[in-house]
Amino acid sequence: MSKFRFGAYLMLLAFILIITGCSSSSEQAAAKPKTTGLSKEEISNEAFNDMFPLQYNSYKKNEKMSDTKYSGSVKRSKFDPDKEPYLPILFNGYGFATEYNEDRGHVYALEDIKSVARITDKSVGSCYTCKSTAVPKMIEEMGEKYWSANFKTEIFPKGEKMGHSPIGCSDCHDPQTMDLRVTRPSFVKAMERKGIDVSKATKNDMRSYVCGQCHVEYYFDATTSEVTFPWDKGFKPEDMYEYYSTIAKEKGFEKDWIHNISGTPMLKSQHPDFETFMEGTHGKAGVACADCHMPYERVDGKRKISSHWWTSPLKTMKTSCGTCHGDRDLDKLEARVIEIQDTHMKQLHKAEEVSINAHYYVNKMITTGVKSDKVKAAQEHVRKGQWFWDIIAAESSAGFHNPQGAMDSLAVSIEESNQAINIATEELVKKGVDIDKLKEEIEKAKKAVTGEKDNFQKKSHAINAQFPAQQPVVPAVPKK
């Protein structure tokens, strides 16, 4: 054998040994589970700081409060003139007419849930479910009793004793392996009813599921108060409305409250970001929530991490949007987003105004003695009309998660509210009611609400001698 061939042989042998050794080492590394050294029951966000300082520092950026045009993270009342000033009318008789603020972000979850006026002495454990890292352990310890336990006297004090943190690390990560996980049973159960096994989800799915366990529409079970997701028929507004009209109703849940003005049994939508996004362009294309709200970033000049500053992509467009839309001018892209949101908000405000009129028209039907079957027919349109705008208003993107779906829903809302007004108008004319004068009285009531400087008193101006309350003003137990 020549020296050249012998040398080549030795090089080949060495290469094989290296590859074999690397493969063996890789297999050994794979066989040995990763561990942080933390307890599997760790719920303190600060406990993760030493091992994951870059991610923790990123998480701490959530303490910074700053606005975008339609949302942001500054604690502001939704009753402000540039927000949705008529909400004290639209939610009259419910806690959301007393205090309803813009979200400040995850790090303020415990502080805000404890102080908001919607939490009363009757509020239950379910209100705490997406605010604290102690929830999974608490549910494990208390079982079904957790959901209906008193928020103020039992649940929140128990969380404090356990050393809870506001929404954070252990809500989405296994403390020992840092694998993504779903910790809220309501999400798992809802997905099971849709035929989806969350335990078999891909990593990309999990990058949305960890958000979807809380950023969703829900209601409290009529018997147990358990947080329940209305997804059995689908994610669209019409699917969930159908669920509430059938499955939920059969199980004893009919309403969140009865509206003071129209006497209508109402539904209050929560923050259905997951459902709206999944039905939108990005969701259907396989984009995950984390792609836009937790983009990769370089934090020390070289290391790349997922941002844990959960904020609007409008604040991080280069990394959030530029990753996929890098060939486009980001300024133009931002302008397009704002255009979509402007159009959406204009239509939302229109839907809300028509909804207000519908409530007052039905009030006049009741006070002038219109037959109950006609009143109930109008009330069903009122209920449906408000649901279809509220489910869009309650989500966080100002229409951007699903622009077409949002506009379709608002169109349905306007149509339904107008149906209520049409039924009422026909019956009121028969009773000799002056419709022009009715419109004037409605405008006076609206101005009285918006003219009141004290947010906590605004709701009281929505009802008056012309439009008396249709039920005793007894506080309902509101959802957070």
Side-chain angles (χ1 to χ4, degrees), residues 29 57 74 110 128 135 161 175 232 300 332 347 452 459:
N57 287 338
V74 175
L110 289 175
Y128 180 79
V135 170
K161 189 175 181 179
D232 295 34
D300 58 1
K332 292 181 179 179
Q347 189 76 343
E452 172 61 61
K459 64 182 182 181

Side-chain angles (χ1 to χ4, degrees), residues 54-106:
L54 299 178
Q55 288 85 351
Y56 185 78
N57 287 338
S58 176
Y59 168 81
K60 294 292 283 184
K61 289 175 68 176
N62 290 292
E63 293 177 351
K64 178 182 178 182
M65 292 182 283
S66 61
D67 258 342
T68 56
K69 185 172 183 180
Y70 292 114
S71 190
S73 56
V74 175
K75 186 177 182 179
R76 290 183 57 196
S77 174
K78 285 181 177 285
F79 302 164
D80 286 352
D82 62 331
K83 294 291 185 178
E84 296 171 77
Y86 295 129
L87 294 185
I89 300 174
L90 291 162
F91 296 130
N92 210 268
Y94 201 39
F96 284 86
T98 301
E99 186 176 15
Y100 195 3
N101 302 316
E102 291 285 5
D103 299 323
R104 279 201 294 171
H106 300 70

Side-chain angles (χ1 to χ4, degrees), residues 129 135-136 139 147 182-190 213 226-227:
T129 302
V135 170
I139 293 176
W147 307 106
V182 171
T183 53
R184 290 347 188 234
S186 301
F187 181 88
V188 177
K189 291 178 181 179
Q213 60 185 325
E226 181 176 357
V227 173

Side-chain angles (χ1 to χ4, degrees), residues 35 47 67 71 91 139 155 166 237 251 269 271 277 283 311 388 401:
T35 181
D67 258 342
S71 190
F91 296 130
I139 293 176
I155 294 299
K251 293 182 178 180
S269 179
H271 23 68
F277 172 76
T311 190
F388 274 85
H401 280 154

Side-chain angles (χ1 to χ4, degrees), residues 19-174:
I19 293 298
T20 304
C22 289
S23 176
S24 178
S25 299
S26 298
E27 290 173 0
Q28 290 175 7
K32 184 179 180 180
K34 298 178 295 180
T35 181
T36 61
L38 296 172
S39 165
K40 67 178 182 179
E41 297 181 350
E42 183 58 68
I43 63 171
S44 169
N45 292 335
E46 288 73 20
F48 293 79
N49 185 20
D50 289 342
M51 191 166 294
F52 305 101
L54 299 178
Q55 288 85 351
Y56 185 78
N57 287 338
S58 176
Y59 168 81
K60 294 292 283 184
K61 289 175 68 176
N62 290 292
E63 293 177 351
K64 178 182 178 182
M65 292 182 283
S66 61
D67 258 342
T68 56
K69 185 172 183 180
Y70 292 114
S71 190
S73 56
V74 175
K75 186 177 182 179
R76 290 183 57 196
S77 174
K78 285 181 177 285
F79 302 164
D80 286 352
D82 62 331
K83 294 291 185 178
E84 296 171 77
Y86 295 129
L87 294 185
I89 300 174
L90 291 162
F91 296 130
N92 210 268
Y94 201 39
F96 284 86
T98 301
E99 186 176 15
Y100 195 3
N101 302 316
E102 291 285 5
D103 299 323
R104 279 201 294 171
H106 300 70
V107 296
Y108 295 105
L110 289 175
E111 182 181 332
D112 289 347
I113 187 68
K114 188 176 182 181
S115 64
V116 72
R118 293 199 306 275
I119 292 296
T120 70
D121 292 339
K122 295 182 179 180
S123 295
V124 295
S126 288
C127 298
Y128 180 79
T129 302
C130 280
K131 312 303 176 186
S132 166
T133 56
V135 170
K137 180 63 176 175
M138 204 176 291
I139 293 176
E140 182 182 332
E141 290 182 359
M142 299 178 66
E144 295 299 311
K145 294 180 180 179
Y146 161 81
W147 307 106
S148 59
N150 188 275
F151 178 93
K152 287 189 173 181
T153 63
E154 186 173 359
I155 294 299
F156 203 90
K158 183 178 178 66
E160 288 181 313
K161 189 175 181 179
M162 293 171 69
H164 64 181
S165 288
I167 305 164
C169 311
S170 62
D171 288 310
C172 304
H173 292 281
D174 182 309

